Amino acid sequence: MKAMAAAAGFQDSVKRVMTARTLGKKTEAPASQEEEEDEFKTERRRCFQKVVKKVVQTQNTVNNVSRRPHKHVLYPSRSRSCIRRVSIVGAEPITQETAMELRTVVFGAADIHPFSLGEWLDHPFTFYDAGTAQAYGLRVPNSSTKGFVMCVQAFVLKHLLFSSRKLGSVGDVPKLLRTTRAAQVEALLGALSDMLWTAGGRQGAVLCLAHSEVNSSDDPQYMNDGCTEKIVVFQLGSYEEVKFTIKKYLFEMVTEGHHGMLLFLYSIVLSRTFPLLQEDMSGETHPLIQTNGSIHPCLVTLLLTGRATHHLHNGIIYEGDENTMARPKTGILQRAEVGLLVWKRHDGDSGVVGSRLKTPSLPIWVTRCNDAYGILFNPNRDLIRDYHAENRFDLYYYSSNSSQNATTILTIDTRTPSFREEYQLSPLENLIHTKWMDAEVNWNGTAPYV
């Protein structure tokens, strides 16, 4: 009753005010033209002051939010209920058959227990704090996802170091690596867009997002994992459309509690398509995530080159003898933008990597030392284009190792040959020798940890 009385009183007050304003207007004398212009200017000034005040308040709010403690995410944390209210316009839910085939291709079985996906669920892409020595680096949540993250990291470095710089310029490397939050977002956006577009053969791409509703029906052969059965997909026909859509929904990839890494992995697979994946792998059926949790070498080449081949040599070679038909083995068909170096102790295939991966168009290499992944890179393009730059140069190494709290810089001197045997060198030094044979590697005071 009190609320109703208060409302009635408020309405009466409004009526009295409106009546008084009407009567006042009727009794007012016509204003002169000068008075009307002065009143108009005063009103414009008042409106402008209101706009300025609102802009200042908004800027203060943004500054206060940016100074709050955060948990190494690119966007402020949002509750799942908040995210799920976002309308995903233009996306189509995947079918039960697609969800099961995705699981089979990626994890080896459609009826895999959700526990086996545990290291891939609820993990977004996150950077170290902006402005720190490792601000350029993506965090690795666990050992299973490390190889996958390092492949994405390679393209992040491409955009941080080379996208906005003129050819031949090196720039302020420490400043580039101690990057800002905005630059982190732009680099990740560019990296994800490039990789999806390449996997789609530069003709189209698919982006997977998670919706709040379950798309697949109940099936005894399928156990819900909280992500795969909720996927909706965008079919994207141009690079600009890919980048625009990823930017619009980037929070799905970087918000804590969301399945950013798994969604992007599914996006890569669907962009390549199931038939082309089978063709890339020569009809072999092995999951992209192996039983020990690590990623299959085919997934590495898919992420780096857009084709899921197991062979790392240049072009196509034929194997066979006079008694058997020669069978083609398709390797890397064109020079890669980001390279790959591989070394494994007591592995006869340590020198199988061809020049199209050893000498990419950018001085960035994903490394696999005894199946442990990392990144070697140099901010100077001339290292790839001018052999004189290879006499003596530095390589930055990054692996998101918990013990790596400072930038690791290795100095490579190809003028001074190393006479130490393989067993006397660290795995990373042996890997470097697959590209720069017998070069002297100086860790510059850092104890070799790879």
Side-chain angles (χ1 to χ4, degrees):
M1 294 297 290
K2 290 181 179 180
M4 294 177 63
F10 175 73
Q11 292 173 353
D12 292 339
S13 300
V14 172
K15 288 179 180 179
R16 286 197 296 272
V17 171
M18 297 301 295
T19 302
R21 286 183 176 178
T22 303
L23 292 174
K25 288 181 179 179
K26 289 180 179 179
T27 58
E28 286 177 0
S32 66
Q33 184 174 358
E34 292 181 357
E35 290 175 342
E36 288 180 353
E37 290 178 357
D38 291 339
E39 184 177 354
F40 176 73
K41 291 179 180 180
T42 303
E43 184 64 25
R44 285 187 62 184
R45 189 181 300 110
R46 189 181 298 111
C47 292
F48 178 75
Q49 290 172 347
K50 287 182 179 180
V51 171
V52 171
K53 184 177 180 181
K54 187 173 293 185
V55 170
V56 171
Q57 289 175 342
T58 303
Q59 185 62 46
N60 290 337
T61 302
V62 171
N63 291 337
N64 289 335
V65 170
S66 65
R67 285 194 292 265
R68 291 174 186 169
H70 52 81
K71 298 181 179 180
H72 312 292
V73 295
L74 300 184
Y75 285 81
S77 298
R78 310 182 188 200
S79 64
R80 292 195 178 190
S81 60
C82 174
I83 294 298
R84 288 172 180 173
R85 293 194 196 103
V86 177
S87 177
I88 305 180
V89 180
E92 295 292 332
I94 64 170
T95 63
Q96 175 81 20
E97 292 74 18
T98 303
M100 296 178 71
E101 191 164 5
L102 263 178
R103 272 191 171 181
T104 301
V105 169
V106 175
F107 295 102
D111 57 350
I112 188 171
H113 195 280
F115 176 79
S116 301
L117 280 69
E119 293 194 338
W120 287 88
L121 295 172
D122 298 325
H123 289 308
F125 292 104
T126 56
F127 283 93
Y128 285 91
D129 287 334
T132 62
Q134 291 184 294
Y136 64 90
L138 290 169
R139 289 176 173 270
V140 175
N142 51 60
S143 59
S144 295
T145 58
K146 188 169 187 176
F148 179 76
V149 173
M150 288 299 106
C151 291
V152 178
Q153 177 72 65
F155 286 90
V156 167
L157 286 167
K158 167 197 167 181
H159 285 272
L160 281 177
L161 297 176
F162 302 108
S163 289
S164 60
R165 290 164 49 203
K166 296 180 180 179
L167 291 176
S169 64
V170 177
D172 187 349
V173 177
K175 183 178 180 180
L176 289 171
L177 297 181
R178 292 178 178 269
T179 187
T180 63
R181 183 69 58 184
Q184 288 175 339
V185 173
E186 285 301 314
L188 181 61
L189 172 62
L192 301 183
S193 302
D194 288 356
M195 297 173 80
L196 271 191
W197 188 240
T198 303
R202 302 183 182 276
Q203 297 180 349
V206 175
L207 177 64
C208 296
L209 299 176
H211 198 260
S212 58
E213 299 176 357
V214 175
N215 302 317
S216 55
S217 59
D218 293 334
D219 190 311
Q221 293 184 333
Y222 183 91
M223 297 180 65
N224 290 355
D225 56 45
C227 178
T228 312
E229 65 279 353
K230 296 181 179 181
I231 287 178
V232 294
V233 297
F234 287 94
Q235 300 287 343
L236 308 171
S238 68
Y239 179 79
E240 291 72 21
E241 191 178 3
V242 171
K243 195 167 186 178
F244 174 81
T245 308
I246 293 179
K247 184 175 183 178
K248 185 176 181 180
Y249 296 101
L250 189 61
F251 62 84
E252 286 271 8
M253 301 293 175
V254 301
T255 305
E256 278 197 356
H258 283 252
H259 317 292
M261 290 188 187
L262 184 58
L263 287 172
F264 185 65
L265 174 54
Y266 283 160
S267 300
I268 288 287
V269 171
L270 292 181
S271 294
R272 186 56 183 163
T273 73
F274 297 131
L276 287 179
L277 278 174
Q278 282 295 305
E279 182 180 324
D280 292 345
M281 296 185 284
S282 303
E284 299 177 9
T285 55
H286 44 251
L288 298 179
I289 306 300
Q290 301 178 102
T291 53
N292 62 359
S294 62
I295 66 174
H296 194 278
C298 286
L299 179 54
V300 177
T301 53
L302 173 61
L303 293 168
L304 298 183
T305 70
R307 293 183 62 258
T309 176
H310 182 69
H311 309 295
L312 305 180
H313 56 257
N314 291 351
I316 304 173
I317 63 174
Y318 292 86
E319 285 189 347
D321 54 34
E322 57 185 13
N323 298 320
T324 60
M325 182 179 296
R327 302 177 62 181
K329 295 175 66 175
T330 303
I332 307 303
L333 298 180
Q334 60 185 3
R335 188 182 186 185
E337 190 171 36
V338 170
L340 174 68
L341 298 176
V342 178
W343 182 85
K344 189 173 183 179
R345 198 176 294 276
H346 307 305
D347 188 351
D349 293 332
S350 59
V352 74
V353 181
S355 61
R356 290 173 180 170
L357 286 174
K358 283 186 177 180
T359 309
S361 57
L362 293 174
I364 303 171
W365 295 267
V366 174
T367 63
R368 189 168 77 232
C369 281
N370 289 330
D371 297 327
Y373 285 89
I375 293 278
L376 283 171
F377 65 95
N378 184 290
N380 185 5
R381 292 176 187 262
D382 288 341
L383 184 62
I384 294 297
R385 300 179 301 176
D386 184 358
Y387 72 92
H388 292 294
E390 295 185 277
N391 289 335
R392 191 175 188 275
F393 57 94
D394 290 337
L395 286 178
Y396 293 75
Y397 181 73
Y398 176 74
S399 65
S400 191
N401 195 309
S402 58
S403 62
Q404 185 181 2
N405 52 19
T407 303
T408 300
I409 303 177
L410 308 172
T411 299
I412 315 300
D413 192 339
T414 58
R415 301 168 301 178
T416 307
S418 174
F419 296 103
R420 290 181 293 170
E421 298 294 334
E422 178 182 291
Y423 67 90
Q424 296 176 312
L425 301 173
S426 67
L428 186 59
E429 291 175 66
N430 282 308
L431 177 137
I432 290 172
H433 284 170
T434 65
K435 165 66 176 171
W436 295 280
M437 187 176 297
D438 297 329
E440 184 66 32
V441 179
N442 186 351
W443 285 77
N444 295 313
T446 302
Y449 55 90
V450 181

